[in-house]
Structure formats: C-alpha cells, structure tokens
Amino acid sequence: MVGIVGYGAYLPKYRIKAEVIAQQWGADPAAITRGLQLFEKTVPGQDEDTITISVAAARSALKRARINPKDIGAVYIGSESHPYAVKPSGTILIDALGIGPHVHVASYEFACKAGSEAMYVAYSHVKSGEMKYALGIGADTSQGAPGDALEYSASAGGAAFIMGSERVVAEILFTHSYTSDTPDFWRREGESYPRHGGRFTGDPAYFKHIMGAAQALLEKSKMKPEDFAYAVFHMPNGKFPQEVGKRLGFTKQQLEVGWVVPWMGNTYSGSSPTGLAGILDVAKPNDLIFMVSFGSGAGSDGFVYRVTDEITNVQDRAPKLREMLDTNKIHLNYGEYAKFRRKIKLND
Amino acid sequence: MITARYHREIPQRYRLEAAKCSSCGHVSFPPRLVCPQCKARKFEAVNLSDEGTIVTFTVVRVASDKFSKETPFGVGIVELNDGVRVTAQIADVHPDELKVGQKVKLVFRRVQEDGKAGILCYGYKAVLA
Amino acid sequence: MRDVVVIGAGMTKFGELWEKSIKDIFVEAALKAIDDAGVDHIDSMYVGAMSSGLFVGQEHLGAVMADYLGVTPIPATRVESACASGGASFRQAYLEVASGASEIVLAGGVEKMTDGADVTEALATAADQEYEVYQGITFPGLYAMIARAHMERYGTTREQLAAVAVKNHRNGAKNPNAQFRSEVTAEQVMKSTMVADPLRLLDCSPVSDGAAAVIVASMEVAKKLKKNPIRVIASSQASDTIALHSRRDITTLDSVVRAAQKAYKLADKKPSDINLVEVHDCFTIAEITATEDLGFFEKGTGGEAAEKGWTSIECKRIPVNTSGGLKSKGHPVGATGVAQIIELYEQLNGKAGARQVEGARIGMAQNMGGSGASCVIHILEAI
Ligand SMILES: [Zn+2]
C-alpha cells in the first residue's frame, strides 16, 4: 500500500478582507463576496515566503508521520512564488528539517498545480520502490497585480505530504493527469505579476482540464461521485470549484470541508493540497477522497485516496487547518497589506 | 556578500544545534571550542528545545537600514526549555501585546536579505505559543 | 609600577561638526592637550576609535593621526574596545608610562559619526553580529531589554529613568563643550519619541562628532614641568560575554562589578571615598545600573537614587556625570572614555567652572563597551 504517511498545512496569521481591497479600487464588494464567494484571504508576514511556509507545513507532516527525516529520499516543492529564480526552495527546507544531504531535490512550477505535481512525483518514487519516503509540497505567496481581479484571491499558504508505504494514512488508489497548451494565465520571466485571459480562464481552461482529468479518473477507478465522502478541486475563487463539482455530479456536502477558499483565498500551488489537508483532519477510516488540481497553461492532476485506520492516530499530532483558518487572525488595512506585499516603491 | 558567513551558521540558525560540554554538561549556543563554565574542550552535539519563555524584550522602532521597513518589531531574550537563552525577533504579534513571561516557540522565518539581489537569510524567530 | 599622572587635556566641542574631518578634530584635541601640558614632544600615542572604518571609511588611525599631528615617526596605535575605546586608549598610555617604556604619551579618542553612515548598523557591530544583530536588535534595543528587566525585577520606574536625563542635561547646560546645552523636563523625556520600548529618544545619548586627548606622563616629567598633575591611582578593565543573553544576570553588568572591585583595590579606596564619578550613560538605564554596579547604591536602588537627586552636583552624595554625561555632552564613541578623564582632570584641578564639585579630590571614570562586554575604570586623585 502506497500513499500519504504524514501531512501538514500552514497558513499565515495575517488577513485582508475582500471589501477592504474593493474599497481601495472603488469596486463593488458584493461582486466579489457574493459573485466570487471570496470574503478574505491570507497574507504572508513580511518574513514569510514559500520556503518558510513549506518548512512549517512539512514540520507538521513530520510530526504526524513520526519518521526519521533522513529516510526521506526526495523533496519537491511546487510553487509559482519560489523566492529564488535560480536555487531550489527545497535546498533550504532540507537543511531546516534535517533531511538529506542524501536526497533528491527540485522546485516545480506549473501555475496552481505545481503542488499536486510534487505530490504526484513523490508518490511515484515510493510506488516504484526507488525510495522509502518522498516529500511533496505545494506552497505559495501568490501575486495578484494591484487592482486586478486576482488581488482578491491571491493568498498565501501551503500543505506538505510525505508519501510512503508503511503506516499509510491515506492510500492513493488512482491518479490521472490531463494537459494541453492553453494560454489562460501566465507570467513571463522577469515580470512581477501574472497576466490572464479573463473569461478564457473558465470553460476552455479550468473546467475543461478538471473535467478531463476527473472523468478519466472516474472511468479508471470505476467509481461514481456518490462513492466519495469528500471531493476537492482547485479553488481560484469560491464559485468555480462549486460549479465544477456540480457539473461532475458531486454534492455541496462532499465539497464543503475542502472548500476553504472563501476565508483563505487561492493559495495557488497550495490550493487543492490545503483543501485535502483540511479533509484529512476530519476524515474517518475507509472514506474515499476525490481530488483534482488545476494549473494554468494548462493541466490537472487527479487523485483518488482511501483513508486508512491510521488516520485517527495522526490527526491530533499537529495543528489542523480549520484552527489556522479560523483563529488567531491579524487583519491588515490596505496600506499595511501593500507594505507587506512589497507593492510600495521604495527608495532603495 | 555574506554567503560564506551565512552558510557557516546554518546548523545553528536552522536547527538550533548546540554543544554540550562533555565534562560539566553546560550547553553552549552557538557551539564553542572552550566551555565557558569549566574550560573543557570536548563537546557533544545537541539540539535545543524550540519552546521557551520571554525573559525580557523590547520593541525596535528605529532600526538599521536593513530592518527599517519592518519596524516596529519585537525582539526578546528567550529562555528555551533547556535553559539556554537566545535573542530572537518575536513575530506575528502586535508589539503592545508582549509581556515578560509569555510562552513562545521558535519558528523558521526569513530574517534578513543581502540587498535586492543577494542571498535570502533565514533562521529562527519566536512566535507566541 | 611607577606613578603616572595626567598633565594636560584638550577636546573639541562635541556635536555635529559638519565643517571638520575626523583628522581635523583629532588634531585639534591633540594640539590643545599638548599645549595645555606644555610638552615639546610626545614619545608615543594611542587613538581610541570604535568604527572609523564604517563611519568614514578610514582605518589605520594611529598612523593617520601621527602624520597629521606632525609627530611621525613615533609609535602610534589605534585602540578599539567598542564604546570603551577611549578608556582603553588611556589605559594603554597609562601602562606604557607606568612600565617605564615611555615618559610622555598622548592618549586620544575620536569618532566622526555624522558623515552619513548607517549609525545604527555601525554601532551594532559592538554586539554579537551573528546571534544578536542578525535578529535586527539595535543598541537602544539591547539597553531597553536591560531596562525592562530592571523595571520588572526592582520596580524601577519610567520617572526614574527620566530623572537621569534631566540631571545630565542640567549638568551639560553648564559645560561649554557639550552637544546639548539645554535643560529638559521629565515630561519632555517621557513624551519624546519611542526608540526601543521602554527607552525614548531623550533616554539615548546622541550621535556626535568629537575628539579628546590627554597627556600622560611620569611623575618625574611632571615635576620638571612644574605642572599641577593629577595622579592615576587605579586603572582596571574587565570583559564579559559579548551577547547580553549569555549573561548570568541581565540587570547587572558583571564587567563593571569586576573592574570596580579591581580599581578600588588598586587605589585602596571604597565607594564613599569617591567625590565624583563619570559613568557611561549611553542610555539612562546604563547610569542607573552603573551607579549600582560601582557600589554607590545597593542593587536595584539606582533608579530611586537618581529620582531623589542623590547623584546631582548639589547633593554631593555622589555627583554623577557632572560633565553632562554621554547623554548631554554627546557621545562620539571613541572619544568618550578620554573625555571622561578630561572631566575628572578639570574637576580635580578645580577648573570645572559652574559645575565644579567643591573640594573634589578623587574622581572615577567608568567607560563601557557594547552592552557591557567591556568595562574600563580609572580612579584619579589630586595631589
Ligand atoms: Zn564544561
């Protein structure tokens, strides 16, 4: 049996409300809150980045897995906000967590699905028997240009998953990926903010790829939506994952737990992985979980998990997503937010 | 360029690696070549606890240029549970909420950066437990 | 070791000396000291400076100053012990004369801090760079942590800290060389801008330019010159851990305690024999801890003593920082320790004008480096 042996999520404490951003740009807050189902989003502290978020999430994953960090054979961090353009984020993470130096490390990038890519490759390594454990992480301190629609959603957070074959808490039963050249969203080298194709990001991009991966996965697994206790899809806003779930035949109840976007925002590479971590926090043995990520450019990775009896042993060993989402929040005004996100031009 | 200097301190800053005197048990952080307590020169490697208590603190409101965009920020002397004291920034808290005696835990954060194009420098900071 | 005396002194005004370079101010102070002593040569010289490399991009100050003072080829050495560089410079001159190696030595100190360097960063190099400064702590921050610990443990109050600044400004107003010749009220201190809680702007010594120099000589030379020499009856120095967090006790500066014990023993004096003391009040809390650690007041009561006026010139119990201290006179770091000696020299010669401590015969100077990792103490006596 191969699957997740330890998982952890991390969200920064800082938040900004959608209405505060809307007010800044003279926009109608209702279009965001009611229309896109986005109420507030996480903001990284000035001293937080994809690496520190990954370290915090991976530390929780290690606490749950209770394994020797030296037994981890590969570390992959998926993000579109790696602090270095050249120097893998994982190099810093392994030294912080006492992993390695006998370890394979790489940074992944595939817009919002870099995290599920990292999980996919980590899982494949263990499944092939190449190594005992592998760590896949999705984390981001997402950038949305000031005044752009993305500014309401682009948030910070991440989740880490240690894949292994002993004391598995969620077995991975099936995977499927679906990819094509779809220029719905991109960021050119050297640019600070991504560009996107507006409504082109919907049907031809998000919906087509998630549906493509999901339908193939259902076929492969010979399962039906009603077989699953939970489903989680990439969450660029509150509306899309609900809509894609509906089109595929999932109910609101199945989506509810993993649908963390309204109060967290879109953690990009951390989005569906963070939702999965939130589901694992409350899942029961034998629950089936359906997950499909989406990354612009574009592609989707789908996973079918079956929760094992081990889950109840590990759930309380590290902070749960819901606690991080709902408690201990520090709200920022737009000025503080602009300073935190380095949107102010400095004399340096 | 501070790369070599930074690289040298990684075991301490990332993992709180310290040196325990083999003869008197005194723990030095960072590790030293001579025990300050008994002058012995043999040590074993230990990792410090990442939990502790604020012994004293301040709120830096006027910082050096490198930290001037982050003011005001808390800095405290933290006594870790194994008795070793460290100086650490106290993050994720409004400075007015700080008090002597508060329980904290050390987390991994970006501490500074070597200019706009230089390396990013990480290490421990304290957050309220 | 033989008797060593101070026979001359000179200093620049402390403050923002925009028109003058580091060389200009050092040479000005050195010439004044040489002229005051009436010597036609010096055998060697020491230049105390904390961080001329960071402040003005110039190291190798011994040679630089010997050159511009026109005294080459005499031995000339720069001495550095952070903010105690001036005291350490004086101590080197003292030891050189006491040992018999030289007869007349110039002990100087200088700092040029206003030329545009990041002063906070430069000063912070006196703390543990990798384990204190790395975290963004500043010098006001380190002393603020001492202050908070002192307040927590002994009940020292905000008003007591302010009393130190008020008294030192009152003294400094009477010192023609002081940077700030204005009095302040406790209310002004307590309403000034917060720098590092609980320390405010008026708890902190200023950023200053300045130089100071004294001529140290053997008693034989002094007799020949028929000067009024002031005898150095103790020179002591102690060190402590570089990081504040490594100290046995955050509220006690052990280097001060140790150096004081040694100095009292060397001079065969006790705290009650001292008529005035110049202490290193880089921050108001530092004067409070110094007066305790030097043995003038019981531990924990330095704040009360300041508030009750026991450290004022008028009270005479133990006048502290008659010069105005670092707070009001200014704190050009490397010059400070030497300027403290100059205040004692003037006081013990009865030439301190409006701030004269009547009948002063024995004075002490306590100069400190970093958050107390270095301490240099001298006791001088009128002959
Ligand atoms: Zn020992």
Side-chain angles (χ1 to χ4, degrees):
Chain A
M1 186 195 294
V2 176
I4 297 164
V5 298
Y7 71 94
Y10 177 80
L11 299 177
K13 281 195 162 41
Y14 299 97
R15 302 285 190 280
I16 187 165
K17 289 182 185 297
E19 65 198 52
V20 173
I21 298 172
Q23 193 176 35
Q24 186 67 29
W25 301 107
D28 174 16
I32 307 302
T33 51
R34 276 208 311 275
L36 291 177
Q37 297 278 301
L38 290 171
F39 300 97
E40 64 183 34
K41 65 170 192 171
T42 56
V43 179
Q46 291 188 89
D47 55 0
E48 294 185 292
D49 59 26
T50 287
I51 295 170
T52 64
I53 289 169
S54 297
V55 168
R59 205 180 289 269
S60 287
L62 279 166
K63 273 186 191 165
R64 287 201 169 95
R66 291 195 179 162
I67 60 162
N68 181 353
K70 299 273 178 215
D71 288 339
I72 294 175
V75 171
Y76 303 121
I77 301 178
S79 180
E80 63 140 59
S81 52
H82 290 290
Y84 285 98
V86 178
K87 176 168 167 51
S89 299
T91 56
I92 292 156
L93 177 133
I94 56 159
D95 256 20
L97 297 177
I99 301 171
H102 300 282
V103 61
H104 189 246
V105 168
S107 280
Y108 284 6
E109 182 281 312
F110 196 145
C112 295
K113 92 165 179 81
S116 65
E117 273 185 306
M119 294 166 67
Y120 184 96
V121 180
Y123 159 70
S124 302
H125 280 323
V126 176
K127 194 181 178 195
S128 73
E130 183 65 25
M131 55 188 67
K132 198 169 174 193
Y133 299 108
L135 173 58
I137 300 171
D140 254 308
T141 55
S142 323
Q143 289 286 358
D148 188 276
L150 289 177
E151 197 178 18
Y152 296 96
S153 61
S155 70
F161 300 87
I162 300 169
M163 304 298 181
S165 55
E166 289 167 23
R167 286 187 289 144
V168 170
V169 301
E171 184 185 5
I172 295 176
L173 300 177
F174 300 95
T175 62
H176 191 85
S177 290
Y178 184 97
T179 312
S180 76
D181 179 358
T182 307
D184 60 320
F185 170 108
W186 62 92
R187 177 164 65 81
R188 290 270 298 275
E189 185 66 45
E191 293 298 305
S192 301
Y193 301 110
R195 292 263 191 116
H196 56 83
R199 292 187 60 78
F200 184 72
T201 59
D203 277 324
Y206 180 88
F207 291 97
K208 177 182 162 191
H209 291 82
I210 289 191
M211 304 278 291
Q215 280 159 351
L217 200 54
L218 288 170
E219 256 172 54
K220 228 186 222 181
S221 63
K222 300 189 173 60
M223 292 177 183
K224 297 181 290 297
E226 51 267 35
D227 296 333
F228 293 88
Y230 304 98
V232 60
F233 302 101
H234 174 55
M235 295 169 271
N237 53 51
K239 206 171 90 180
F240 278 23
Q242 295 279 15
E243 173 66 23
V244 83
K246 201 166 112 189
R247 289 192 199 175
L248 285 164
F250 289 93
T251 65
K252 271 204 159 161
Q253 287 69 32
Q254 286 168 299
L255 294 173
E256 188 66 35
V257 173
W259 188 64
V260 287
V261 60
W263 300 96
M264 178 180 85
N266 178 6
T267 53
Y268 282 41
S269 303
S271 177
S272 50
T274 310
L276 174 64
I279 291 169
L280 291 173
D281 281 340
V282 299
K284 294 189 181 58
N286 293 316
D287 279 349
L288 286 171
I289 304 168
F290 192 79
M291 166 181 163
V292 184
S293 66
F294 171 72
S296 290
S300 283
D301 295 327
F303 299 80
V304 170
Y305 305 93
R306 181 165 53 212
V307 178
T308 75
D309 293 345
E310 281 289 333
I311 192 73
T312 51
N313 296 327
V314 308
Q315 281 166 330
D316 294 333
R317 286 179 186 167
K320 293 182 179 165
L321 183 72
R322 210 67 228 182
E323 295 162 22
M324 286 183 276
L325 197 55
D326 296 342
T327 59
N328 241 330
K329 297 189 270 191
I330 303 171
H331 282 96
L332 304 176
N333 60 39
Y334 194 86
E336 291 167 326
Y337 166 75
K339 178 182 160 186
F340 271 43
R341 297 306 287 132
R342 301 189 181 202
K343 291 174 193 286
I344 298 172
K345 194 172 178 187
L346 299 170
N347 190 11
D348 61 5
Chain B
M1 290 289 271
I2 60 168
T3 48
R5 243 176 73 200
Y6 174 73
H7 181 252
R8 208 173 289 135
E9 306 297 331
I10 281 177
Q12 287 74 52
R13 296 215 178 107
Y14 287 20
R15 299 188 297 273
L16 300 171
E17 286 186 12
K20 186 175 183 181
C21 174
S22 302
S23 92
C24 79
H26 179 86
V27 178
S28 290
F29 180 80
R32 300 171 175 234
L33 299 177
V34 181
C35 173
Q37 194 155 286
C38 77
K39 316 305 168 197
R41 299 181 191 178
K42 278 206 179 108
F43 299 89
E44 53 180 296
V46 292
N47 287 78
L48 300 181
S49 161
D50 61 358
E51 291 176 356
T53 309
I54 297 176
V55 174
T56 183
F57 70 93
T58 185
V59 180
V60 174
R61 295 175 193 273
V62 179
S64 61
D65 293 350
K66 192 176 274 179
F67 291 92
S68 63
K69 306 300 181 294
E70 292 163 42
T71 55
F73 56 87
V75 181
I77 291 179
V78 172
E79 181 163 317
L80 300 173
N81 288 348
D82 35 32
V84 175
R85 291 179 174 186
V86 298
T87 297
Q89 269 194 46
I90 308 167
D92 292 357
V93 62
H94 192 284
D96 294 346
E97 291 167 30
L98 292 173
K99 284 184 195 69
V100 168
Q102 274 169 325
K103 299 279 178 216
V104 294
K105 93 173 183 263
L106 300 185
V107 295
F108 187 78
R109 292 290 170 94
R110 191 191 281 192
V111 181
Q112 50 174 268
E113 42 197 86
D114 189 16
K116 250 185 164 174
I119 60 163
L120 302 168
C121 304
Y122 296 85
Y124 50 82
K125 283 192 185 182
V127 295
L128 297 187
Chain C
M1 293 207 288
R2 60 178 178 165
D3 278 350
V4 176
V5 294
V6 179
I7 58 169
M11 66 184 281
T12 64
K13 188 178 165 31
F14 283 1
E16 295 174 328
L17 309 177
W18 304 114
E19 307 301 326
K20 294 175 182 173
S21 73
I22 188 169
K23 293 182 290 224
D24 294 337
I25 55 179
F26 186 85
V27 171
E28 178 187 329
L31 288 176
K32 280 183 185 168
I34 288 168
D35 292 350
D36 183 46
V39 292
D40 58 5
H41 75 285
I42 52 176
D43 297 330
S44 80
M45 62 185 273
Y46 292 94
V47 182
M50 183 211 158
S51 199
S52 55
L54 291 175
F55 286 125
V56 295
Q58 179 71 64
E59 308 286 19
H60 205 181
L61 285 192
V64 170
M65 298 311 176
D67 181 7
Y68 277 75
L69 188 57
V71 295
T72 53
I74 67 164
T77 308
R78 182 255 187 92
V79 178
E80 188 269 315
S81 276
C83 311
S85 297
S89 164
F90 180 74
R91 182 170 150 80
Q92 292 309 308
Y94 163 83
L95 292 171
E96 187 169 326
V97 174
S99 72
S102 292
E103 293 298 322
I104 308 170
V105 179
L106 183 143
V110 65
E111 214 76 61
K112 178 75 190 169
M113 301 171 73
T114 62
D115 272 4
D118 182 346
V119 173
T120 305
E121 186 182 35
L123 292 176
T125 59
D128 186 326
Q129 190 60 225
E130 307 294 10
Y131 289 90
E132 292 184 305
V133 185
Y134 184 73
Q135 292 279 339
I137 193 68
T138 60
F139 258 93
L142 287 167
Y143 277 92
M145 292 202 288
I146 295 175
R148 187 177 307 276
H150 204 275
M151 292 163 105
E152 290 269 333
R153 170 130 22 125
Y154 301 113
T156 301
T157 65
R158 194 39 271 192
E159 287 75 12
Q160 291 170 348
L161 292 173
V164 172
V166 171
K167 182 263 297 170
N168 286 349
H169 270 263
R170 197 188 319 129
N171 293 351
K174 298 173 187 151
N175 183 349
N177 287 321
Q179 182 165 359
F180 298 123
R181 300 201 59 197
S182 53
E183 300 201 9
V184 297
T185 65
E187 203 190 355
Q188 283 173 313
V189 177
M190 291 188 289
K191 281 188 175 164
S192 60
T193 306
M194 192 69 93
V195 172
D197 310 31
L199 298 182
R200 293 172 180 271
L201 188 62
L202 290 177
D203 287 299
C204 307
S205 55
V207 171
S208 321
D209 303 328
V214 295
I215 305 297
V216 176
S218 64
M219 191 63 98
E220 293 76 47
V221 167
K223 277 176 184 158
K224 269 185 230 153
L225 290 168
K226 295 186 181 124
K227 296 288 298 181
N228 256 355
I230 299 296
R231 196 151 61 109
V232 183
I233 58 172
S235 173
S236 69
Q237 185 170 352
S239 54
D240 199 353
T241 65
I242 190 73
L244 180 63
H245 60 239
S246 305
R247 306 274 166 80
R248 177 186 63 82
D249 173 5
I250 291 168
T251 62
T252 301
L253 301 175
D254 276 346
S255 66
V256 180
V257 174
R258 294 292 167 78
Q261 284 167 349
K262 183 89 184 287
Y264 287 128
K265 199 175 165 198
L266 286 169
D268 194 22
K269 303 288 180 202
K270 49 191 187 303
S272 58
D273 296 327
I274 308 293
N275 302 128
L276 76 149
V277 61
E278 287 286 300
V279 307
H280 195 93
D281 62 321
C282 44
F283 301 93
T284 49
I285 182 63
E287 177 164 320
I288 289 173
T289 58
T291 55
E292 295 167 352
D293 298 339
L294 292 170
F296 296 113
F297 305 111
E298 246 176 72
K299 193 71 211 168
T301 64
E304 184 193 353
E307 196 174 29
K308 290 194 167 154
W310 295 345
T311 55
S312 67
I313 294 173
E314 301 73 35
C315 179
K316 278 190 144 181
R317 189 157 161 173
I318 175 68
V320 178
N321 284 332
T322 56
S323 67
L326 284 55
K327 174 72 209 76
S328 164
K329 182 179 55 189
H331 183 28
V333 181
T336 284
V338 180
Q340 290 179 323
I341 300 293
I342 294 177
E343 179 67 10
L344 299 186
Y345 181 73
E346 292 186 356
Q347 286 280 1
L348 301 181
N349 266 319
K351 291 180 176 167
R355 52 186 208 285
Q356 181 65 45
V357 175
E358 272 178 58
R361 293 202 47 80
I362 300 175
M364 176 187 262
Q366 176 253 344
N367 187 202
M368 196 156 61
S371 60
S374 285
C375 181
V376 182
I377 292 180
H378 288 96
I379 303 178
L380 275 61
E381 183 173 32
I383 296 172

